[in-house]
Amino acid sequence: MATATKTTTGKVYLTYVDQWLDTLPAADSEDFREFADVTPSVIEIWVYAGILKYPGTFNDLSRWVKMKYKKLNRREILNSEIAALHSDVQDLRMAINSGEIKGNDGAARLASLEKELRSHIETSERMNRTTDKRGLILAGADRVMRELTTIFKDDPQFSEPIENAMNAIWAKLYSEVSSS
């Protein structure tokens, strides 16, 4: 549930994330919003927010993403297709066994449905492996970057070069895991 927050300047924010985004440079705020729009994973959005020093909670960010950007739940869609195909296979088998459908016709249709079902299951497993791998890599990178920030936060000599290096590493790492 969003509650309005009024700042000392009189500006009203419906979410903590919007308030945080207003504190960022305009280019960073715009880049983050664009990233949140095109990225299907809330976890990846959370990691990117961490790079930009988002101080809020994951739940606040997750609610903000759901409120601002409609995300297709590809896993849910694929799983419902798998369940429907499985049901179709069972129905076809019963129709063949009861004699409603001739054996030859039924066998060909059954083979086709089973092949499609196996393909959907393989796609689901591949999607899960890829998502798990990306999430672990990005979460690990986020942890390392947060630790570096904490270690060098009081040393102005290192803070800016480390921040620049982290931004470059984040961009490279994200492009690598996105293309794999």
Side-chain angles (χ1 to χ4, degrees):
M1 179 100 174
T3 57
T5 303
K6 190 171 185 177
T7 63
T8 55
T9 61
K11 190 162 185 177
V12 176
Y13 294 96
L14 293 179
T15 69
Y16 182 74
V17 177
D18 286 326
Q19 188 174 356
W20 166 71
L21 284 170
D22 236 11
T23 67
L24 296 176
D28 288 348
S29 179
E30 185 178 327
D31 287 347
F32 180 79
R33 289 174 196 274
E34 183 178 319
F35 182 83
D37 186 26
V38 299
T39 303
S41 168
V42 176
I43 293 172
E44 290 179 33
I45 296 168
W46 165 254
V47 172
Y48 186 33
I51 301 302
L52 296 174
K53 308 211 182 350
Y54 171 67
T57 66
F58 178 81
N59 288 336
D60 286 342
L61 183 66
S62 179
R63 279 192 295 274
W64 177 83
V65 169
K66 286 177 185 172
M67 184 173 70
K68 298 277 185 178
Y69 306 103
K70 179 71 177 151
K71 302 291 181 185
L72 257 182
N73 188 337
R74 290 176 176 88
R75 280 186 188 176
E76 187 177 297
I77 292 168
L78 193 56
N79 286 338
S80 70
E81 287 178 2
I82 289 170
L85 279 168
H86 181 69
S87 176
D88 291 348
V89 166
Q90 298 303 323
D91 292 346
L92 183 57
R93 282 187 180 143
M94 288 189 334
I96 292 169
N97 289 337
S98 70
E100 292 176 44
I101 297 177
K102 290 184 182 180
N104 291 343
D105 292 339
R109 287 170 47 189
L110 185 61
S112 175
L113 275 176
E114 287 176 334
K115 182 178 180 181
E116 188 175 352
L117 178 60
R118 283 191 302 276
S119 172
H120 276 60
I121 291 170
E122 287 172 12
T123 300
S124 177
E125 288 174 350
R126 189 171 48 252
M127 185 185 294
N128 289 339
R129 277 192 308 272
T130 301
T131 301
D132 291 346
K133 176 184 161 189
R134 286 174 66 179
L136 287 171
I137 290 170
L138 293 174
D142 177 55
R143 176 66 189 264
V144 168
M145 291 178 193
R146 287 177 190 262
E147 290 296 324
L148 279 171
T149 300
T150 301
I151 291 168
F152 292 105
K153 71 179 178 193
D154 295 328
D155 194 341
Q157 176 185 356
F158 293 111
S159 62
E160 186 178 339
I162 285 177
E163 186 171 328
N164 291 338
M166 287 189 311
N167 289 334
I169 291 167
W170 163 254
K172 183 174 182 179
L173 184 62
Y174 185 76
S175 76
E176 286 176 3
V177 297
S178 293
S179 63
S180 63

